[in-house]
Amino acid sequence: MNYSSSKLFALLAILMLSFSVSAQNGKKFKVVLDPGHGGKDTGTNHKKNVEKDIVLAVALEVGKILEKQSDIEVFYTRKTDVFVPVKERSVLANNNNGNVFVSIHCNGVNTESASGTETYVMGLSKNKSNLDVAKTENSVIMMEDDYKTKYAGFDPKSPESIIGLTLIQEDYIHQSIDLASRVQDGFTNDLRRKNRGVKQGPFWVLHGAFMPSILIELGFVSNTEEGSYLSSSRGQKELASSIAQGIINYKAAYYGGSKNVVVVSANDKAVAKDSSSSKSNVTVTRTSTKDTAKETNSSSTKTTVSSNKGIVFKVQIAAGSSILALKPQNFKGLRGVTSIRTNGTSRYYYGETSDYETAKENLRVAKSSGHTSAFIVAFKDGVSISVEEALK
């Protein structure tokens, strides 16, 4: 088909909306776990530390924990040692209407000094280290038959050819960063792993998933000590518990449900822990006029945050690199839309209130107007925080 790039991205954007799953709707929260590599694609290997085996073991452990939650449903891109084409992984996630997509990998370099965990979201980074990781993970595409046709001439080794990949995930960048931050903070605070941070990178496996998506690098198999930890049963269970905790924390913040999760302590004993939310490492700056959302009376009990806490709730209805005029016709008739722009991305919000029940009513209004992927976000003194933290 001779589609122009603009038409192709417009089509993908429409498909993205059709796959959106409404938050707080009572349905099961769907998690798609993606153990990287598999089969003929072994990933990065050093000594006896084989990436494809490590990430599969960890993903299966994550699934075991999540499947014990009555309100969570788990899907896997693979459960055995098989080769799965990169494009099929996100297709599976979309076909199952996933709420989040979590791809699990390991790092490996030609030195033993590098160590630590890092979690990526989709984005075009100019950082050489980030690009190198993305190139390594994207290179598996070349193992597929006729990959140049399947991936429209995409060259995994050329940063220029992956710029367009960032466009599809822009709608979910805020939620992706929040999920990535929760997972990364678990590695750092609970497991005391070296923190390499939440980063952006142009990963093909993330760009086609129409939902918040992250790619986790568990550690370096090339580091003797860390590689042994990654290959050990203890290490895999600890990492899996930490990932599951991050996912459940995220679900509780956006979709509600239990905050109690199972984590593995340093002595390998499973313990129950009340999940603590982690603050997203994104600072936002207000760029538009304050919206005076109408407070809605409700006969039900309201969750009101004291004004002296400086906390407000908004409904995010859209995001993208373009700057749109704040007119109702640009937002399906909604009035009083505001925007915040940071790191080249504009996010658009409907309503502003310190009352969570009013925020939920604003969410209902936004969705009924056609913004089906809208969700509630929270700010404290102008800084983005999780809804869970705002309600404490």
Side-chain angles (χ1 to χ4, degrees), residues 69 71 182 244-254 256-263 272-277 386-392:
Q69 308 292 318
D71 53 356
R182 293 170 188 275
Q245 176 180 342
I247 293 171
I248 294 175
N249 286 353
Y250 172 89
K251 175 191 169 295
Y254 289 92
S258 173
K259 297 180 182 179
N260 292 324
V261 297
V262 176
V263 298
K273 180 177 180 180
D274 182 60
S275 61
S276 58
S277 71
S386 70
V387 173
E388 181 184 21
E389 183 174 351
L391 293 175
K392 283 185 176 179

Side-chain angles (χ1 to χ4, degrees), residues 5 37 124 126 140 163 241 344:
S5 296
H37 311 283
L124 184 64
K126 295 181 180 179
V140 63
I163 292 176
S241 294

Side-chain angles (χ1 to χ4, degrees), residues 255-291:
Y255 293 77
S258 173
K259 297 180 182 179
N260 292 324
V261 297
V262 176
V263 298
V264 176
S265 64
N267 60 6
D268 276 334
K269 292 182 179 179
V271 296
K273 180 177 180 180
D274 182 60
S275 61
S276 58
S277 71
S278 57
K279 186 180 292 185
S280 175
N281 297 322
V282 177
T283 301
V284 293
T285 304
R286 189 177 182 84
T287 61
S288 62
T289 305
K290 183 176 181 180
D291 172 43

Side-chain angles (χ1 to χ4, degrees), residues 26-183:
K27 295 181 180 179
K28 282 194 174 185
F29 183 78
K30 297 181 179 180
V31 178
V32 181
L33 298 176
D34 174 45
H37 311 283
K40 63 182 179 180
D41 172 24
T42 60
T44 183
N45 309 311
H46 292 262
K47 298 180 179 179
K48 295 182 179 180
N49 307 318
V50 181
E51 181 181 6
K52 70 170 184 176
D53 297 333
I54 294 170
V55 299
L56 178 60
V58 171
L60 293 176
E61 286 290 338
V62 174
K64 286 180 183 178
I65 296 171
L66 296 179
E67 287 166 350
K68 293 178 181 178
Q69 308 292 318
S70 60
D71 53 356
I72 293 180
E73 188 173 4
V74 181
F75 300 90
Y76 303 84
T77 57
R78 69 181 182 97
K79 297 184 73 173
T80 58
D81 184 20
V82 295
F83 178 77
V84 181
V86 173
K87 185 176 288 188
E88 289 184 14
R89 295 170 187 262
S90 57
V91 169
L92 183 148
N94 295 331
N95 287 345
N96 286 289
N97 293 323
N99 292 97
V100 293
F101 178 77
V102 179
S103 191
I104 303 175
H105 294 258
C106 293
N107 261 323
V109 292
N110 295 322
T111 174
E112 288 200 3
S113 60
S115 64
T117 64
E118 55 194 14
T119 306
Y120 285 87
V121 300
M122 184 66 192
L124 184 64
S125 172
K126 295 181 180 179
N127 181 280
K128 183 180 184 300
S129 175
N130 294 10
L131 285 173
D132 285 345
V133 174
K135 289 177 188 177
T136 299
E137 301 298 356
N138 288 334
S139 65
V140 63
I141 288 172
M142 293 187 289
M143 300 182 71
E144 300 178 30
D145 295 333
D146 198 22
Y147 81 90
K148 289 186 177 180
T149 300
K150 290 181 180 178
Y151 296 91
F154 165 69
D155 180 1
K157 296 183 179 180
S158 171
E160 292 80 7
S161 71
I162 48 187
I163 292 176
L165 301 188
T166 63
L167 300 179
I168 306 305
Q169 270 288 317
E170 283 184 345
D171 248 12
Y172 302 109
I173 189 65
H174 181 93
Q175 291 166 289
S176 296
I177 291 173
D178 191 4
L179 175 59
S181 298
R182 293 170 188 275
V183 170

Side-chain angles (χ1 to χ4, degrees), residues 7-17 19 168 207-208 210:
K7 289 181 179 178
L8 178 59
F9 287 130
L11 176 61
L12 288 172
I14 292 171
L15 289 173
M16 178 177 65
L17 289 175
F19 282 113
I168 306 305
H207 103 282
F210 305 149

Side-chain angles (χ1 to χ4, degrees), residues 216-258:
I216 299 168
E217 296 284 0
L218 298 171
F220 287 78
V221 295
S222 49
N223 179 289
T224 299
E225 181 179 353
E226 191 161 79
S228 297
Y229 175 78
L230 294 171
S231 293
S232 70
S233 175
R234 175 195 174 194
Q236 291 166 5
K237 288 180 179 179
E238 286 185 354
L239 290 165
S241 294
S242 188
I243 294 170
Q245 176 180 342
I247 293 171
I248 294 175
N249 286 353
Y250 172 89
K251 175 191 169 295
Y254 289 92
Y255 293 77
S258 173

